[in-house]
Amino acid sequence: MTGSDGSTPLDIQMAGPWITEHEETLVLDALRHGWYGEGAYHYVETFEAEFASHHDRKYALMTPNCTTALHLVLAGLGIVEGDEVIAPECTWIGSVAGITYQRAATVFADIDPVHWCLTAETIAAAITPRTKAVIVVDLYGNMPDWDEIAELCASRGIAVIEDAAEALGSRYRGVRAGKFGVASVFSFHRTKTLTTGEGGMLLIDDGALFARCKLLRDHGRAPGTYLNTEVAFKYMPFNVQAALGLAQFRRIDELVGKKRWLWQGYRDRLGDISDLQFNPEPDNVHNGVWNTTLVFGETHGMTRDRAVSELAAMKLPARPFFYPLSSLPAYAGRAAQGRAEHPVAYDVSARGINLPCALNMTDRGLDAVAAGIRRLLGRA
Ligand SMILES: Cc1ncc(COP(=O)(O)O)c(C=O)c1O
């Protein structure tokens, strides 16, 4: 379809994948050959092995999504009712749902005003004698100060789980996101940099934890046997999904490169406007920038909700920064305490939006969104 001036109309999407013939070839091969005997898990095992090795981890378990990967590792670590797990106020609910599945208590902690992740101080403020684990989220690809968090949690005997769902391609002091904590998880949801439609990965170094999670992933049975030693989960992946993941993974630099290009493109186009905060990249971090996020400085007097609705009126998509979880109906009754104890999360969330970052975005798309932000701020 072309416009009246002969140009192609703009199709600006929040998120979406970049699929090439390479993906089609591997998926077709899995469809044709990936069902019988040794071949039935060929792509799953190859994807797991290559993904683990790339992230310098010993073991990987592919799962139906990242939410189940997190649930699996919480169960594998033996988190049960009566235990507490610390997690950030601002993240997607999939980061924390597994805590409730295990009937443990979710304890929210405040985020940092610059990188929007947990800090050693905010974790320390949330620790009690019941704290068993902390889920640290690399929000929007940003990295927390991992050295300080690791030191604190090691000294207090608390297991760290890295939720790297949004951090494919990010690095902290040269170490890839996915290498922090006793285990890390990734999401391959349709909206992620690397996608399998739905999908997730759990990375682990400890052999005993891996064996436990592997058993729990398939109804509590050893592979190839029909002897269930306990009632567990059915969180198995399948070959076609993994073939898509493997093909995408082998293009990781291209996919992450495009996300960084979008981030740079927004910063270049809006760089002359002061008091705008984008995903940071301090000297010790390389940011995979799953999504370019924009937090309006207080001088703009702009709120998240006004920005999203005014951009929508301009036919430009944008999404709110993650709401503080304690403010959601799912955690009814916790908002007053959350707001009082986690002021940074409530403040940043109220001023932040996510910009469109689909992998099919073009220069024209970036121009249009940047022009919309300028109009919004009276800087057109
Ligand atoms: C930070 C974070 N954690 C967990 C999840 C859950 O991932 P999934 O949708 O694959 O279950 C998501 C994403 O959607 C996420 O962004």
Side-chain angles (χ1 to χ4, degrees), residues 65-67 91-92 94-95 137 163 165-166 187 189 192 199:
N65 51 56
C66 176
T67 305
T91 182
W92 178 237
S95 295
V137 182
D163 180 349
E166 303 177 356
S187 169
H189 182 251
K192 292 296 190 289

Side-chain angles (χ1 to χ4, degrees), residues 79-85 102-105 128-132:
I79 305 290
V80 291
E81 190 162 6
D83 294 338
E84 291 179 359
V85 179
Q102 286 302 105
R103 301 180 189 280
T128 77
R130 295 181 157 197
T131 306
K132 287 282 160 40

Side-chain angles (χ1 to χ4, degrees), residues 28-49:
L28 193 60
D29 185 63
L31 273 172
R32 285 183 176 156
H33 309 294
W35 302 102
Y36 292 105
E38 297 284 299
Y41 285 97
H42 166 74
Y43 280 107
V44 170
E45 285 161 7
T46 309
F47 183 30
E48 288 175 341

Side-chain angles (χ1 to χ4, degrees), residues 115-185:
H115 54 62
W116 316 323
C117 305
L118 291 176
T119 69
E121 293 92 283
T122 64
I123 294 170
I127 293 174
T128 77
R130 295 181 157 197
T131 306
K132 287 282 160 40
V134 53
I135 297 174
V136 179
V137 182
D138 304 323
L139 205 76
Y140 301 127
N142 304 348
M143 297 297 269
D145 193 329
W146 274 109
D147 286 347
E148 286 182 11
I149 291 174
E151 194 182 321
L152 169 75
C153 293
S155 73
R156 306 292 287 268
I158 296 167
V160 177
I161 300 165
E162 180 189 12
D163 180 349
E166 303 177 356
L168 190 83
S170 294
R171 294 195 293 269
Y172 168 83
R173 295 194 197 285
V175 179
R176 289 200 164 103
K179 180 60 184 171
F180 298 94
V182 288
S184 62
V185 293

